Amino acid sequence: MQKVAVISGASRGIGKAIAQKYLAEGYQVFVSGRSVARLEAFSNTLSDEQKSRLFTFSGDMGIKADVYAFAEYVGKHTKEVNILVNNAGQFIPGTIEGETDGTLEQLLQTNVNSAYYLTRVLLPVLEVSTLPHIFNICSTASIMAFTNGGSYCISKFALLGFSKVLRAELMPKKIKVTSILPGPTLTDSWAGSDLPENRFMKAEDIADLVFTCSNLSQAACVEELLIRPIEGDI
Ligand SMILES: NC(=O)c1ccc[n+]([C@@H]2O[C@H](COP(=O)([O-])OP(=O)(O)OC[C@H]3O[C@@H](n4cnc5c(N)ncnc54)[C@H](OP(=O)(O)O)[C@@H]3O)[C@@H](O)[C@H]2O)c1
């Protein structure tokens, strides 16, 4: 039977690279994103065969009703989910003192609540699926404060906390939970930066890492992975 991967926020950047990897490995892949145009643009880069295995859903993962609608869309097409990647996320630079009122709420909704609700609603399906594995795309900002990190850092610390709690809860059910903590990775998140491209990792590096973790024997669970550019953080 064809394996299934569900990835939130995957029309570009790291999520898209992860979707491309699982498509290349023969999976059926469900992705979400807010912009229909960006989802279509991604789909249009694929061969007809891969396109037939990509299912796109437009919705805001920071809104609980949209998360549930995404899960319902997935449920209409499959009874099994083997891989869930909680990737949808947003970066708004700022400081706790200086950022706009509402930034904390917005980043918690997009970066934390999205993962919490998507996981909760898909857990009954994951529990009856073969070798279920949940990935949470955290960040180096999940373990250290960085300049102009503000609420983004707070949200990523919270996501790592969510991931740890989830792993502890799901261990008895043999559902693997992996926290990925990437440093700077070249995506649209860095648009406008004049830093040289070779100071960044590639989104494909993160995708390869995720796939490798999901391809180990049933006995092994990679719990946390910290990955930075070879010259360190920016
Ligand atoms: N790039 C880095 O250096 C880096 C480092 C560490 C961790 N991360 C984390 O990796 C994840 C992906 O980041 P990225 O750099 O690949 O970002 P990106 O290039 O901006 O892509 C984000 C993706 O998520 C979608 N998305 C954003 N907000 C969404 C929402 N509310 N609902 C649904 N989809 C949403 C975007 O599509 P739409 O805009 O159309 O919705 C897009 O497909 C994030 O969680 C980020 O915090 C990134």
Side-chain angles (χ1 to χ4, degrees):
M1 196 159 116
Q2 208 162 53
K3 289 189 188 165
V4 175
V6 175
I7 306 158
S8 68
S11 57
R12 50 194 172 129
I14 293 171
K16 176 180 163 186
I18 296 171
Q20 285 170 323
K21 180 71 187 173
Y22 281 98
L23 283 168
E25 297 292 337
Y27 280 63
Q28 233 181 357
V29 176
F30 293 80
V31 298
S32 67
R34 288 165 303 181
S35 157
V36 176
R38 277 197 280 266
L39 288 165
E40 279 176 6
F42 171 28
S43 180
N44 288 336
T45 63
L46 302 172
S47 68
D48 287 346
E49 192 282 317
Q50 289 201 348
K51 217 185 262 192
S52 72
R53 289 186 280 112
L54 179 74
F55 296 79
T56 61
F57 176 87
S58 157
D60 186 336
M61 297 296 101
I63 298 172
K64 200 201 289 192
D66 283 14
V67 174
Y68 287 174
F70 180 37
E72 199 179 320
Y73 172 75
V74 171
K76 276 191 185 139
H77 293 90
T78 176
K79 296 280 166 268
E80 187 145 331
V81 173
N82 311 96
I83 306 292
L84 167 61
V85 185
N86 288 310
N87 169 77
Q90 188 183 8
F91 172 59
I92 302 175
T95 60
I96 292 172
E97 185 179 22
E99 61 196 10
T100 311
D101 186 39
T103 302
L104 177 66
E105 287 83 349
Q106 186 179 337
L107 291 180
L108 287 176
Q109 275 164 12
T110 307
N111 298 351
V112 185
N113 296 14
S114 56
Y116 174 87
Y117 287 116
L118 188 58
T119 303
R120 269 168 67 92
V121 72
L122 288 179
L123 263 177
V125 186
L126 283 152
E127 283 173 13
V128 297
S129 302
T130 311
L131 299 178
H133 198 150
I134 301 168
F135 290 88
N136 295 307
I137 307 300
C138 301
S139 171
T140 47
S142 295
I143 52 167
M144 57 179 280
F146 67 89
T147 313
N148 266 332
S151 286
Y152 178 76
C153 268
I154 297 172
S155 72
K156 287 293 176 178
F157 267 77
L159 185 64
L160 181 59
F162 161 77
S163 200
K164 285 174 188 281
V165 173
L166 189 68
R167 182 178 315 106
E169 290 183 0
L170 297 182
M171 255 179 203
K173 295 184 175 180
K174 295 197 168 98
I175 300 180
K176 297 184 191 183
V177 178
T178 301
S179 312
I180 305 282
L181 285 70
T185 309
L186 193 60
T187 67
D188 287 355
S189 291
W190 291 88
S193 144
D194 52 9
L195 291 158
E197 285 194 12
N198 62 9
R199 280 297 280 115
F200 294 88
M201 295 181 291
K202 296 182 191 329
E204 290 73 19
D205 290 323
I206 313 303
D208 288 347
L209 202 59
V210 168
F211 182 75
T212 301
C213 291
S214 71
N215 214 25
L216 302 178
S217 82
Q218 188 175 9
C221 174
V222 177
E223 297 191 346
E224 283 175 16
L225 262 175
L226 178 62
I227 174 168
R228 287 193 166 98
I230 191 161
E231 291 176 77
D233 278 330
I234 290 170

